[in-house]
Amino acid sequence: MKRGKSDTKLDKLDRFVSLSRQKSAQILLAVAVIYVLLVTLEIPFVFDSGPTSETSTTLARFSELQSEQVLQDKDAPTRPLNWVSHNFSRRTQSQLAASKILSSLGFHPNTLDPTKKDGSLDLLKAAKTAWEEGIKLWDEVQSGKAKLLEVSNLKNISEACPISVTLSGSDFLKRGKLLELPCGLTLGSHITVVGKPRAAHAEKDPKIALVKEADDEVMVSQFIMELLGLKTVEAEDPPRILHFNPRLKGDWSLKPVIEQNTCYRMQWGTALRCEGRGSEADEETVDDQVQCEKWIRDDDDISEESKATLWLNRQIDRTKKVTFDWPFPFAEEKLFVLTLSAGLEGYHVNVDGRHVTSFPYRAGFTLEDATGLAVTGDIDVHSVFAASLPSNHPGFSLNRHLQMSSRWKAPSLSVGSVELFIGILSAANHFAERMAVRKSWMQHRLIKSSNVVARFFVALHTRKEVNLELKKEAEYFGDIVVVPYMDNYDLVVLKTVAICEYGVRTVHAKYIMKGDDDTFVRVDSIIDEVNKVPADRNLYIGNINYYHKPLRYGKWKVTYEEWPAEEIPPIANGPGYILSSDIACFIVSEFESHKLKLFKMEDVSMGMWVEQFNSSIPVEYVHSLKFCQLGCIEGYYTAHYQAPRQMICLWEKLQKQGRAQCCNEMMIRTSVNERPKCRNRERMITRLGEMRTGSWMRVTTWGDCPEKLKI
Ligand SMILES: *[C@@H]1O[C@H](CO)[C@@H](O)[C@H](O)[C@H]1NC(C)=O
Ligand SMILES: *[C@@H]1O[C@H](CO)[C@@H](O)[C@H](O)[C@H]1NC(C)=O
Ligand SMILES: *[C@@H]1O[C@H](CO)[C@@H](O)[C@H](O)[C@H]1NC(C)=O
């Protein structure tokens, strides 16, 4: 295997050397001339406009030659030319860096045709808005209007992450019925509210019931506890990350219910109503807890007498199973102790020590966004406690300043064509993830020598200071491409197009790979995979799913409007796939002429585009499970869901042992002893990926599921 690989490399080199040997005299001469021009006249280099001139193709060859040389790690006949191209790239470096922070993908919101009948229309509309907002934000950042907090302030902020917060009822009132959680929540955080619901009062226009006659009144007692994203948006209501609304009296169903929901950008999601029936057996659970517990549906409370009888019976005959339902957990004028906790899969609410409801996390929010707790409505709050809070402010790690070391800067772009371009999806506030990538596989010699180029693709954040930090980081490390739209879960496909655009136009790479910032990439094995396909073929390599049908129900459902066909084309899993540049070229030009069909899942979109391309030009589909979607397997090409610490660990193992071994220090806790079913596992891990709550939770290495379940 290993031998075979190096043989092909040697072959390739031989072929190349013999080809170019005839030309080498001419080439040498050309380079000498260029070099003299450069040194004597100090002309800013001519190639900035693109590799169209004769000279640039010549140089492209040199860089190719150089790349083979690095692959070989030994002296090659062209060694003397090495330093020429080295000096050369130094000259263009600063110019390239300056112009290339912003993606040059041509998205022109104004040219969008809103009458176009297409499944992608909604997505394009969302993209238009996000793009317009994003450009505005970026202009602000560029113009220097937005100011960055001083380092001393940063220190203050990072120190202002209390592990716990306690407020008495009166203090809570004074603060506008709001408990601030400066650094949000993290896995395992919990908030306890001690309160007493007020007696029902008459309301003429209750929002939770229908009034028959104009003057009718309804007796209402309800309260609302909400986790708010206080810092995520400006100039509109903060998103409600969790809306928990017990309605003791007054709900239209005439029964006590608990409604739970989320509201983002002023749009309510689908409510989860618990009406006391309990969840169905086949309903999705949250950390193995049902979403809704059962309770006695009659309003009359179970009497003290019958409670005592039940207890007595149990004492007398322990073998007898006694089922006992509790009443609705809240009652007017009755003190309760409610605890809300953040689990792996969702929020759990316990009242007076008993589990009542669980609410699965919804996409679009992270725990760290939950920066406030509000309790309003017909309730007297006696006290509020929040504990096990995160100790670090997510956006302002002091550590950040210490990590600004030139050691991790990206090498300059080489002028000629590059073998492989790796575009990495990232989010503005994922500094730690990016840093781990910089310190691990981006240190690969092929990347250091610019034969392989890797860049992060980041959109803009709603918080100004995050964007400012991002700009600073981009300027410093030179490895970030800003795609100027307001980041949004559904628009990640735009980043994929931007990766293609950058790979084709800026880097001139032969192959383009897409990864995530929690994907570990074994650069040399990717190159080997690519080289197995003859150079003149188009390719699409990854962990490919064949013959999938869209799910029409459940959490991952795809509507008929979004996806009318019954079949999904073969798609490579999103965390790591590779394309040839012709396909990327096709995608960019289709996009810029508004002909590209977009779908919110970027990997499905890619499958669709490649299929379209394949209908005219054949594409070689290469499938390998070593592009691991669900974590890490021995001998991986890519490993996914790798937390920053594991990235470093994988890299160290590769360096020290020379083998692709996993770093699975920890397994994900499951309450059952057996291995969880594939389906649940996928769901669980996907959530973990979304949460990014810290290194110790996001690990799994049970191997790959036989089927892919994302869609
Ligand atoms: C080019 O690089 C070589 C070796 O790195 C150095 O000796 C030489 O001075 C450089 N020339 C210029 C013009 O920078
Ligand atoms: C931190 O902020 C508080 C008020 O917000 C201020 O009184 C204090 O001086 C600040 N400390 C530092 C080190 O800047
Ligand atoms: C690609 O195109 C060829 C020729 O039209 C076809 O036979 C093949 O099934 C296509 N592959 C995929 C995966 O769609």
Side-chain angles (χ1 to χ4, degrees), residues 331-350:
E332 294 163 54
E333 316 253 16
K334 183 176 146 254
L335 196 75
F336 66 82
V337 178
L338 177 153
T339 301
L340 167 74
S341 53
L344 265 178
E345 298 192 302
Y347 295 105
H348 305 285
V349 175
N350 283 45

Side-chain angles (χ1 to χ4, degrees), residues 123-349:
L123 209 58
L124 280 172
K125 275 191 205 151
K128 179 172 157 32
T129 317
W131 205 279
E132 282 161 354
E133 276 178 55
I135 291 280
K136 232 185 283 165
L137 273 177
W138 185 249
D139 284 348
E140 248 171 59
V141 169
Q142 285 290 64
S143 67
K145 244 192 260 166
K147 287 242 164 55
L148 197 61
L149 292 162
E150 293 302 314
V151 176
S152 59
N153 270 337
L154 285 177
K155 193 164 189 167
N156 219 351
I157 285 169
S158 73
E159 278 166 359
C161 281
I163 299 290
S164 64
V165 186
T166 311
L167 278 188
S168 68
S170 54
D171 283 344
F172 187 68
L173 262 183
K174 268 186 223 145
R175 296 186 187 194
K177 301 184 183 178
L178 185 73
L179 170 72
E180 279 197 52
L181 307 162
C183 310
L185 297 178
T186 187
L187 198 75
S189 294
H190 49 91
I191 301 173
T192 298
V193 176
V194 181
K196 194 188 275 182
R198 293 193 198 126
H201 63 279
E203 254 185 56
K204 280 218 163 87
D205 180 26
K207 297 282 182 292
I208 59 175
L210 293 170
V211 183
K212 287 187 204 94
E213 305 280 325
D215 275 341
D216 268 3
E217 286 181 340
V218 179
M219 294 303 282
V220 175
S221 174
Q222 64 154 343
F223 68 91
I224 295 162
M225 179 181 77
E226 284 177 326
L227 280 177
L228 302 174
L230 296 179
K231 291 176 186 164
T232 45
V233 289
E234 278 176 14
E236 66 180 51
D237 284 353
R240 294 148 212 238
I241 295 167
L242 172 71
H243 168 88
F244 179 85
N245 173 210
R247 299 169 178 184
L248 288 70
K249 277 214 172 82
D251 185 69
W252 50 265
S253 68
L254 306 178
K255 298 253 188 278
V257 300
I258 299 176
E259 265 211 17
Q260 295 174 94
N261 207 340
T262 53
C263 180
Y264 185 58
R265 299 243 137 203
M266 328 261 270
Q267 296 281 325
W268 286 99
T270 316
L272 169 68
R273 275 172 70 88
C274 293
E275 299 179 325
R277 287 193 195 89
S279 294
E280 303 289 327
D282 61 347
E283 237 171 80
E284 187 187 2
T285 58
V286 185
D287 295 317
D288 297 314
Q289 306 253 39
V290 293
Q291 296 190 12
C292 295
E293 294 288 351
K294 204 166 147 51
W295 57 71
I296 300 165
R297 299 243 297 150
D298 312 336
D299 282 342
D300 48 28
D301 213 316
I302 193 162
S303 68
E304 291 305 317
E305 199 183 333
S306 68
K307 270 189 211 167
T309 325
L310 274 171
W311 182 80
L312 205 65
N313 285 345
R314 176 93 179 112
Q315 296 306 309
I316 295 165
D317 184 1
R318 279 179 182 278
T319 56
K320 203 159 127 198
K321 194 164 186 228
V322 180
T323 56
F324 172 66
D325 286 336
W326 299 95
F328 186 68
F330 304 99
E332 294 163 54
E333 316 253 16
K334 183 176 146 254
L335 196 75
F336 66 82
V337 178
L338 177 153
T339 301
L340 167 74
S341 53
L344 265 178
E345 298 192 302
Y347 295 105
H348 305 285
V349 175

Side-chain angles (χ1 to χ4, degrees), residues 552-565:
R552 297 300 187 186
Y553 57 88
K555 185 174 156 65
W556 306 110
K557 78 160 179 250
V558 174
T559 63
Y560 282 93
E561 288 80 56
E562 287 171 326
W563 195 275

Side-chain angles (χ1 to χ4, degrees), residues 445-611:
R445 64 194 158 84
L446 289 178
I447 293 182
K448 284 280 155 201
S449 61
S450 295
N451 299 113
V452 175
V453 174
R455 293 284 183 270
F456 298 99
F457 284 73
V458 183
L460 294 168
H461 197 273
T462 40
R463 277 186 244 167
K464 274 195 200 101
E465 61 271 20
V466 174
N467 293 330
L468 283 163
E469 288 284 359
L470 179 71
K471 178 170 171 263
K472 252 174 52 180
E473 185 189 337
E475 284 166 351
Y476 188 83
F477 292 105
D479 58 8
I480 291 180
V481 179
V482 173
V483 191
Y485 71 89
M486 186 72 92
D487 214 346
N488 175 335
Y489 202 71
D490 285 344
L491 294 177
V492 63
V493 62
L494 292 178
K495 288 187 197 166
T496 306
V497 181
I499 288 174
C500 292
E501 195 269 346
Y502 194 90
V504 170
R505 296 214 183 118
T506 304
V507 182
H508 312 296
K510 284 191 223 150
Y511 303 101
I512 288 156
M513 173 170 184
K514 183 249 147 184
D516 294 342
D517 61 9
D518 56 354
T519 305
F520 186 95
V521 181
R522 266 179 75 203
V523 178
D524 43 2
S525 49
I526 301 291
I527 296 279
D528 289 344
E529 278 302 285
V530 162
N531 284 341
K532 284 182 196 160
V533 179
D536 55 345
R537 303 262 183 87
N538 280 293
L539 55 78
Y540 181 40
I541 302 179
N543 189 342
I544 295 184
N545 304 270
Y546 293 94
Y547 318 116
H548 271 254
K549 287 190 173 14
L551 273 189
R552 297 300 187 186
Y553 57 88
K555 185 174 156 65
W556 306 110
K557 78 160 179 250
V558 174
T559 63
Y560 282 93
E561 288 80 56
E562 287 171 326
W563 195 275
E566 277 308 324
E567 289 272 321
I568 287 180
I571 55 168
N573 283 342
Y577 58 77
I578 304 142
L579 305 169
S580 47
S581 59
D582 284 0
I583 303 179
C585 237
F586 161 80
I587 290 167
V588 175
S589 73
E590 289 284 293
F591 179 81
E592 292 187 338
S593 53
H594 298 301
K595 282 190 290 194
L596 194 69
K597 206 167 169 290
L598 298 177
F599 184 68
K600 63 185 174 186
M601 295 176 189
E602 67 86 23
D603 49 1
V604 177
S605 294
M606 184 53 78
M608 188 164 78
W609 303 331
V610 176
E611 186 188 45

